[in-house]
Amino acid sequence: MQNSFIRMFLNNRVAWIYLLAGGFVLGTILLALFWSSVTVPIPHIIHIIIEHTTGHVWLADVPANEGPIIWNIRLPRVILAFCVGASLALAGAAFQGLLRNPLADPYTIGVSSGAALGAVIVIFFQLSIPLLGSFTQPIIAIIFGFLTLMLVFGLVKMTSRSMAIETIILAGIIISSFMGAIVSLIIALGDQNEMTQIIYWLYGSVSLRGWSHVQLILPFMIVGSLILLYHYRELNALALGEEAAEHIGVDVRRGKIFLLIGASLLTGSAVAVSGTIGFVGLVIPHLVRLVTGPNHRHVLPLSLLVGGGFLILTDLVSRTIIAPKEMPIGVITALVGAPVFSLLLIRNRLGRRKTA
Amino acid sequence: MKQLLSKWKQMSTVALLALVLTACGAAEENNGNTDNVNNDNNANETVEGAFPVTVTDGVGQEVTIDETPETIASLLPSSTEIVFELGAGDRMIGVSEYCNFPEETADIQVIGAQDMDAELILSLSPDLLLVQEYHYQNHEDVLNEYEEAGIDVLVMGSAESFEETYDTIRMIGEATGTSDEAGQIVTSMEERLEEIREQAETIPEEDRQTVWVEVGPSPDIFTTGQDTFMHEMLEAINATNAAEEESGWVQFTEEEIVTLEPDVVITTYGYYIDSPEADVLARDGWSEVPAIQNERVYDVDNDTVTRPGPRLIEGVETLAKLVYPDVFE
């Protein structure tokens, strides 16, 4: 009896957390839609969205220029911010569980740098693949993210048979530095125009992207998220150590590969549409774990929600704080992320001392 | 990764510097195309009020402007200066962050720069929006959005010569219904430049000065080679650009510069560094350079020598007086 009571209580607690996270996402979406440098009355905003989604018109006096402001500029931006934040945080949670290292995030494993290199190459050589058109950059970025992953795997395979965690991190860092060096080289070779473009891009931003980028990231985000959410058991098993995981009958090797592919999909597409935005993948999963505990069944979906909401919020700050100028979103995530992460580390240490 | 980021930040300082210095590009335009002022209907009318008008912009797009634009916004300082020079400044309702001339721009709503505030631009809904190539390359979707909202968008190519600048002035003149003024401005610029050329031709070969131009301060000294305004200006005043072997904006090491033995040093970064002249004069190892020995180091207003607008001519005149004070006064 006692036991089931506790279980019910726990379930309730988890339900509350999900409800809160969902509320957070909804709240940030509404806030970001209603509040910006240009004031559009809330009824107008609601009208515009209803008109575009259902075709139903109920307010006749909405100024013509408010339609594109809300529907083509602000809404896709909010959605894109959610997708990027969700993808990065979910990928970060997976990498941290996978590598059992609190410092792991999409950057550690080299996927972000690879994707960044791909995107920078497109800018530098002004590439435009006929059928892809303006999608050349994101798609090349995803491909480069994958190639980097393969390169990391190749390096790991050549150095150890067991795909050891330390080797993966080490290889990730090495490849990442190498990719970064090529990016620096390209910047040094480029003329001023390209330099400006590349640097603006590297700062990271979800501004001025529109629906086309939302359409681009969505399929990758959905597939990547499903892969990761499906394989949460492997992550939980890995927490026990690889040998123990094998003992309880989890195919760790296969799971790892799926998890890495899923996380790379998420990272590659996020970097491709938004540039390099750091700290989301690092901090959000830690925050989530603080509340839910280590079970990846909850850490993964909650990281997705909280990460998405968080990036909507940071983007809102980035476009309003010094409007009409924009603060690079990567600057804000780092300004918020670094202190939070430090606090988490200190807290962690103090907590450990208490229990010891 | 973190190391790389800091590298990027270093590089970005240079890039942002370059960005501020050039303060955006401007238009390039084919004369032949701009003159198609709707020949069939209005052949006998004056150019003034000859709307609708079709202009080909800096990226080759044909833009048809139906009637005189009542409100204009510009995302680059050179276009803003041109609009004001054309006498259409009172129609400006939005400028870029870097627009600092003429003074009236200080009171106009800022609508962004490289990063534009799309919501704000749409809410202002200017009749005509002047943007730069950067926006076209990176945010074509957003520009299409503007056009759908009824804003005529003109993309300025990157002008790197007086001819291209004239074309830009003519194009903006046509688009804003001030073709006559544009023609007058161009003619006046041409005449003033020709005057300088003629005077400069009297300078004997042995008096010809070698000029070293600095657009970025030490330690990353950038200069301007061929295909830049500074080079064209130096040629016009019969001076030698010390960096004439190079093209565009290039970086030189101090050792290379000292070897070039320039007679005059011109800096253009005085607007963000105190006393650039003193900095140059005090450089270690430069003591044998003629310009340093004769203390011939001058700072000129960057905007007048890099911005493809009407004030370029002031830049040439200033340079002429600084390099050959005896000839031009």
Side-chain angles (χ1 to χ4, degrees), chain B residues 1 17 26 97 100 140 150-151 177 183 246-247 250 256 271 277:
Chain B
M1 200 61 208
L17 181 86
E97 203 183 311
N100 54 1
E140 206 187 333
I151 302 171
E246 306 292 329
S247 167
V250 275
E256 288 169 322
Y271 66 102
E277 298 96 334

Side-chain angles (χ1 to χ4, degrees), chain A residues 200-272:
Chain A
Y200 265 84
W201 187 86
L202 286 176
Y203 274 147
S205 166
V206 289
S207 76
L208 305 175
R209 300 301 203 268
W211 287 112
S212 53
H213 283 81
V214 175
Q215 280 166 4
L216 185 90
I217 191 176
L218 260 183
F220 295 99
M221 183 194 161
I222 292 169
V223 173
S225 303
L226 288 180
I227 293 178
L228 292 190
L229 295 176
Y230 180 77
H231 285 94
Y232 76 90
R233 285 185 202 84
E234 277 88 339
L235 283 178
N236 281 345
L238 275 166
L240 305 170
E242 280 182 49
E243 271 184 39
E246 301 275 7
H247 279 302
I248 57 172
V250 175
D251 186 350
V252 181
R253 259 196 81 146
R254 210 169 138 260
K256 260 200 235 170
I257 289 171
F258 268 111
L259 287 164
L260 283 171
I261 288 177
S264 315
L265 263 178
L266 292 173
T267 312
S269 56
V271 168

Side-chain angles (χ1 to χ4, degrees), chain A residues 20-184:
Chain A
L20 269 175
F24 173 63
V25 172
L26 202 68
T28 52
I29 289 177
L30 292 179
L31 194 65
L33 261 181
F34 294 155
W35 184 30
S36 184
S37 59
V38 173
T39 316
V40 177
I42 293 176
H44 290 190
I45 295 175
I46 298 168
H47 169 86
I48 289 161
I49 291 171
I50 289 177
E51 193 191 328
H52 277 278
T53 45
T54 66
H56 182 70
V57 180
W58 55 278
L59 265 179
D61 56 344
V62 173
N65 60 0
E66 286 180 356
I69 292 181
I70 299 302
W71 186 255
N72 294 326
I73 307 285
R74 207 181 288 177
L75 186 61
R77 180 175 186 156
V78 171
I79 293 174
L80 193 67
F82 176 83
C83 292
V84 169
S87 298
L88 289 175
L90 182 56
F95 281 131
Q96 283 167 15
L98 197 61
L99 306 182
R100 274 173 290 140
N101 186 317
L103 287 173
D105 80 341
Y107 289 87
T108 324
I109 196 137
V111 181
S112 288
S113 320
L117 175 63
V120 166
I121 284 177
V122 173
I123 297 176
F124 183 71
F125 292 105
Q126 311 256 314
L127 294 180
S128 180
I129 295 167
L131 282 174
L132 301 179
S134 57
F135 289 131
T136 307
Q137 180 180 359
I139 286 169
I140 299 259
I142 291 173
I143 293 172
F144 265 71
F146 268 117
L147 289 180
T148 312
L149 189 75
M150 294 299 129
L151 214 61
V152 172
F153 277 164
L155 198 59
V156 172
K157 275 243 168 84
M158 269 190 269
T159 49
S160 73
R161 254 167 292 152
S162 61
M163 301 265 287
I165 299 305
E166 309 81 67
T167 326
I168 296 181
I169 292 189
L170 204 60
I173 290 173
I174 291 169
I175 303 281
S176 183
S177 313
F178 185 70
M179 299 291 173
I182 301 178
V183 169
S184 299

Side-chain angles (χ1 to χ4, degrees), chain A residues 36 72 74 192 197 324-325, chain B residues 22 97 110 117 119 137 145:
Chain A
S36 184
N72 294 326
R74 207 181 288 177
Q192 226 176 290
Q197 273 186 44
K325 282 200 269 181
Chain B
T22 44
E97 203 183 311
V110 172
D117 191 330
E119 291 192 8
Q137 282 163 0
E145 215 62 70

Side-chain angles (χ1 to χ4, degrees), chain B residues 19-324:
Chain B
L19 188 86
V20 176
L21 287 174
T22 44
C24 324
E28 177 179 344
E29 177 52 30
N30 263 337
N31 255 337
N33 293 334
T34 46
D35 293 336
N36 293 333
V37 189
N38 208 359
N39 286 327
D40 6 300
N41 299 335
N42 303 318
N44 293 326
E45 283 182 26
T46 52
V47 186
E48 288 284 328
F51 286 93
V53 60
T54 301
V55 290
T56 310
D57 72 5
V59 289
Q61 286 184 323
E62 289 203 347
V63 181
T64 303
I65 297 160
D66 291 327
E67 48 195 72
T68 318
E70 304 279 330
T71 50
I72 307 167
S74 153
L75 275 166
L76 65 176
S78 57
S79 304
T80 304
E81 289 192 20
I82 293 172
V83 170
F84 270 91
E85 192 70 20
L86 288 168
D90 53 341
R91 294 190 245 158
M92 291 292 278
I93 56 164
V95 294
S96 90
E97 203 183 311
Y98 300 112
C99 293
N100 54 1
F101 187 91
E103 273 174 25
E104 291 94 306
T105 52
D107 305 322
I108 301 175
Q109 170 81 58
V110 172
I111 54 173
Q114 226 78 2
D115 270 324
M116 45 191 173
D117 191 330
E119 291 192 8
L120 193 55
I121 292 171
L122 281 166
S123 77
L124 287 174
S125 275
D127 294 335
L128 179 67
L129 177 67
L130 308 171
V131 303
Q132 49 173 314
E133 240 177 332
Y134 175 89
H135 300 120
Y136 178 74
Q137 282 163 0
N138 293 277
H139 304 300
E140 206 187 333
D141 294 353
V142 183
L143 299 188
N144 292 336
E145 215 62 70
Y146 296 155
E147 266 156 21
E148 250 164 60
I151 302 171
D152 289 322
V153 179
L154 275 190
V155 185
M156 308 289 139
S158 53
E160 260 125 33
S161 68
F162 274 77
E163 274 310 320
E164 286 167 352
T165 307
Y166 298 154
D167 290 341
T168 309
I169 295 175
R170 287 195 199 102
M171 174 176 78
I172 295 180
E174 268 189 86
T176 55
T178 53
S179 292
D180 286 354
E181 287 85 345
Q184 284 160 15
I185 293 167
V186 170
T187 314
S188 144
M189 285 176 80
E190 281 171 336
E191 282 169 5
R192 280 163 79 179
L193 187 62
E194 191 46 41
E195 206 174 302
I196 287 180
R197 279 215 174 91
E198 278 166 20
Q199 263 181 294
E201 270 164 27
T202 64
I203 298 164
E205 190 58 33
E206 65 268 24
D207 289 347
R208 202 180 154 100
Q209 304 282 296
T210 300
V211 180
W212 169 253
V213 177
E214 270 182 27
V215 292
S218 175
D220 301 312
I221 303 178
F222 272 81
T223 189
T224 55
Q226 295 194 19
D227 304 319
T228 63
F229 288 115
M230 288 299 263
H231 183 82
E232 201 178 350
M233 289 175 178
L234 291 174
E235 280 196 326
I237 65 170
N238 204 1
T240 307
N241 181 2
E244 65 186 355
E245 312 266 296
E246 306 292 329
S247 167
W249 287 37
V250 275
Q251 197 173 356
F252 271 62
T253 65
E254 283 198 68
E255 291 179 15
E256 288 169 322
I257 304 164
V258 171
T259 329
L260 293 170
E261 298 190 326
D263 301 306
V264 180
V265 174
I266 300 284
T267 61
T268 66
Y269 44 85
Y271 66 102
Y272 72 94
I273 276 187
D274 286 337
S275 61
E277 298 96 334
D279 282 3
V280 175
L281 288 170
R283 276 181 195 158
D284 294 332
W286 283 50
S287 53
E288 293 305 309
V289 174
I292 308 299
Q293 284 183 332
N294 304 321
E295 298 201 5
R296 298 200 63 198
V297 182
Y298 314 103
D299 188 74
V300 299
D301 181 357
N302 168 67
D303 295 344
T304 63
V305 289
T306 52
R307 236 177 233 187
R311 286 199 292 160
L312 277 182
I313 196 70
E314 289 172 31
V316 195
E317 288 167 354
T318 313
L319 270 185
K321 282 174 196 161
L322 289 173
V323 177
Y324 297 112

